[in-house]
Amino acid sequence: MASILLVVLLAVLLIQFLRIQRDIERRIVLQRNTPRDQLVPRYYKSFTEVEKTLWEAVQQQQQQKRSTVWEDVRFKGQEPEFQIVQDYLRRVREDFRRGHRIYGQVIIHSPELKIFAELEWHRMKIEFAYYRWCALAWLRLKTVGISIHELRQLTEIVATLAFRVRSMLSTFENSGNVEFVDSILRQS
Amino acid sequence: MALTPLENLLWWAGIGLKVLLCALVFYRRLYRRLPFFSLYAVLLVVEVTLVWFVYREWGYTSLPAWYTYWFASVVVLLARALVVAELCWTSLGTHPAIWPLVRKILILIAVVALGYAAVTAFRTSSSPLATFALSSEQALEISFAFVLVALAGFGARYMAVLKPVERNIVIGLGAYSCFQVINNTFMQQWMNRYFHWWVSVRVVAFDIAMLVWIVPLRKALPETEPERTLISEGTARRLLRELLVQMREITEELKRIARSKWK
């Protein structure tokens, strides 16, 4: 019976992975003419603007029974500024996925297993931190609401990945491998 | 004992699909791209023709039929193992960091699966050939499923997308392997009395897999140009090492800052 369960799990995984591959193909076709600056993570940079918008929205509602300590303010589903938080989270997730794909495309060109494994380990550390904060953010959104501190933490993780990706691309570009960088961006 | 009309129909459908697959493989010149899959397609036709001929001549339960069936099964199973290895090579062969490791893993899996089958066959008191075929099939089918899932997962994680023909071969092989593991589990536990049904269900599952393989071969295959090398191995090694040094330095610096915060 264990073998049947295992095989069912493998079948589900196979379907899922092949579906992801199909999505990759579609995306590559769709982003053929997308400007290069839109192919790298960029939304996370708007965190300060989002924070400012949220701050202003909270200031206007001070007469309501809400905490005025900024770090303690939580954004819940019923409040008008919740949409801003949700939009921002969606865009940050998109940033992460984009950065994750570019990173993967670069490290797969490693000529040595040792280099590949070490670079992959760095990516996995960011990945673990990201999924942990994502799970926490999801839980908070469903329960007590998400705080600006949690949003900042998530942004920092995505910014770390984006920084690494940018360093990689700049290193390759500065050494004259512009075509390689272009191919990486188009294929991810 | 002769074959029932349903079994006859299944055999004919199987033969038809195998011949069609083999013809399409050669008509589309797939042998240039996937030589082991093409060999496998040829072996399928040879196997089914030979087995069917023996069944017809000596009967379904005769000794020649028994030996022919199991011997042909082992040959085709080994050819399928080569197809799985070929799929891995076509997808991962261009990645010098990964392929040597994958190759070692595949060899290890093959040695363990066949070693297990050989030991099981050696220890059995009944038919060693059938035991070897069944044991190696059980071990290899689950290994195929693992390897194919890992291959698809690798493609999804590193954007190494499979081409349509290869993807359909993975789907067909993966579905058949998963089905066979389930089929063998039921066979072991409850279905020894229903060997005919076991074979028939297996034939149907394989026919479905063949249909999946035939679909992309209906149209002419696009010419695949060899991928241009955009970065030399030496440059990639040098630059990635530089990046690693940078990453290590940043990590150390962050750790140092974190430690100084706690002091």
Side-chain angles (χ1 to χ4, degrees):
Chain A
M1 268 303 148
S3 60
I4 294 176
L5 288 175
L6 180 69
V7 155
V8 171
L9 177 72
L10 287 174
V12 171
L13 281 175
L14 185 64
I15 293 166
Q16 180 61 19
F17 290 146
L18 291 172
R19 195 179 280 175
I20 294 173
Q21 292 206 9
R22 202 184 52 195
D23 292 345
I24 294 169
E25 273 184 324
R26 281 187 194 151
R27 195 175 46 244
I28 290 171
V29 173
L30 280 174
Q31 64 187 24
R32 203 168 276 166
N33 299 315
T34 311
R36 258 185 66 164
D37 60 324
Q38 286 178 27
L39 295 173
V40 287
R42 62 188 197 283
Y43 297 117
Y44 72 95
K45 291 176 187 167
S46 65
F47 176 73
T48 39
E49 285 165 39
V50 171
E51 189 177 14
K52 192 177 165 223
T53 315
L54 291 172
W55 166 259
E56 283 166 1
V58 169
Q59 291 305 307
Q60 282 171 6
Q61 293 170 14
Q62 271 209 353
Q63 63 272 28
Q64 291 172 17
K65 290 176 187 172
R66 294 182 62 168
S67 166
T68 49
V69 179
W70 180 229
E71 294 291 317
D72 292 345
V73 176
R74 292 196 170 272
F75 302 96
K76 292 181 204 157
Q78 306 88 329
E79 291 150 12
E81 59 270 30
F82 184 70
Q83 193 55 42
I84 303 168
V85 174
Q86 270 204 321
D87 286 347
Y88 178 70
L89 280 174
R90 188 175 44 77
R91 293 199 302 254
V92 163
R93 283 192 195 114
E94 173 54 31
D95 269 353
F96 180 82
R97 283 196 287 265
R98 207 168 269 285
H100 190 262
R101 290 196 295 261
I102 297 170
Y103 195 113
Q105 273 276 298
V106 172
I107 65 170
I108 199 61
H109 286 87
S110 308
E112 284 174 27
L113 184 62
K114 202 179 160 207
I115 299 175
F116 171 79
E118 204 171 331
L119 286 166
E120 181 60 301
W121 175 239
H122 280 285
R123 175 163 77 153
M124 279 167 72
K125 280 195 281 189
I126 298 175
E127 225 174 342
F128 286 139
Y130 171 77
Y131 285 117
R132 202 182 66 216
W133 278 100
C134 258
L136 188 76
W138 176 83
L139 194 72
R140 293 273 200 256
L141 286 171
K142 295 275 172 201
T143 53
V144 289
I146 194 164
S147 72
I148 203 74
H149 168 72
E150 284 148 4
L151 276 181
R152 196 178 296 127
Q153 287 291 334
L154 202 57
T155 307
E156 271 176 24
I157 293 163
V158 175
T160 308
L161 180 69
F163 169 75
R164 296 213 160 149
V165 164
R166 230 178 16 254
S167 310
M168 283 176 163
L169 297 180
S170 317
T171 307
F172 281 103
E173 218 160 27
N174 296 341
S175 62
N177 296 288
V178 180
E179 209 181 342
F180 173 70
V181 172
D182 202 54
S183 146
I184 294 281
L185 289 173
R186 299 274 164 223
Q187 298 291 315
S188 53
Chain B
M1 196 179 80
L3 294 176
T4 64
L6 178 69
E7 284 166 343
N8 255 318
L9 182 73
L10 286 175
W11 277 106
W12 278 113
I15 291 173
L17 284 172
K18 283 170 186 173
V19 171
L20 179 64
L21 175 71
C22 189
L24 281 171
V25 160
F26 281 87
Y27 182 63
R28 300 292 182 209
R29 295 178 179 179
L30 191 65
Y31 52 86
R32 288 179 178 173
R33 222 161 93 184
L34 300 170
F36 284 117
F37 182 73
S38 308
L39 174 71
Y40 178 60
V42 172
L43 282 175
L44 286 176
V45 175
V46 173
E47 181 220 15
V48 79
T49 314
L50 186 69
V51 171
W52 189 81
F53 175 76
V54 172
Y55 280 179
R56 197 178 161 84
E57 285 297 309
W58 286 282
Y60 194 54
T61 51
S62 67
L63 206 61
W66 172 263
Y67 276 106
T68 309
Y69 175 80
W70 288 114
F71 182 73
S73 298
V74 171
V75 171
V76 169
L77 182 69
L78 293 179
R80 198 139 51 89
L82 288 177
V83 174
V84 173
E86 183 174 59
L87 285 171
C88 292
W89 184 76
T90 50
S91 306
L92 311 175
T94 49
H95 306 302
I98 308 294
W99 176 241
L101 178 72
V102 174
R103 194 177 51 199
K104 280 177 198 158
I105 293 171
L106 290 178
I107 291 170
L108 182 73
I109 288 172
V111 168
V112 170
L114 295 177
Y116 160 76
V119 169
T120 316
F122 184 71
R123 289 167 69 179
T124 187
S125 54
S126 56
S127 170
L129 178 63
T131 312
F132 179 79
L134 273 176
S135 312
S136 54
E137 188 180 61
Q138 279 166 9
L140 283 175
E141 292 295 1
I142 199 127
S143 312
F144 291 163
F146 262 114
V147 171
L148 294 171
V149 169
L151 182 67
F154 181 88
R157 190 166 170 85
Y158 299 100
M159 319 283 124
V161 178
L162 292 162
K163 294 185 183 89
V165 176
E166 282 84 352
R167 185 169 49 216
N168 276 38
I169 296 174
V170 166
I171 294 171
L173 285 177
Y176 182 66
S177 290
C178 290
F179 182 82
Q180 269 306 97
V181 173
I182 296 171
N183 203 12
N184 285 337
T185 309
F186 280 116
M187 168 76 180
Q188 275 176 348
Q189 293 190 0
W190 302 294
M191 290 185 69
N192 274 316
R193 283 181 295 160
Y194 306 105
F195 184 73
H196 285 230
W197 281 104
W198 178 73
V199 174
S200 300
V201 171
R202 176 193 174 115
V203 170
V204 171
F206 196 68
D207 288 353
I208 293 168
M210 278 192 293
L211 281 172
V212 174
W213 296 336
I214 286 169
V215 168
L217 295 174
R218 287 174 304 135
K219 296 175 196 159
L221 300 176
E223 284 294 317
T224 48
E225 290 171 18
E227 279 182 29
R228 220 154 45 87
T229 312
L230 293 174
I231 188 160
S232 70
E233 210 176 295
T235 314
R237 184 179 285 116
R238 181 173 56 81
L239 296 176
L240 288 170
R241 274 192 184 143
E242 268 177 37
L243 280 164
L244 259 179
V245 171
Q246 276 176 29
M247 279 187 199
R248 282 189 208 128
E249 281 172 4
I250 293 168
T251 312
E252 284 307 310
E253 186 64 19
L254 287 173
K255 275 184 193 167
R256 198 185 57 76
I257 293 168
R259 273 198 300 268
S260 65
K261 264 187 187 176
W262 289 104
K263 274 180 187 172

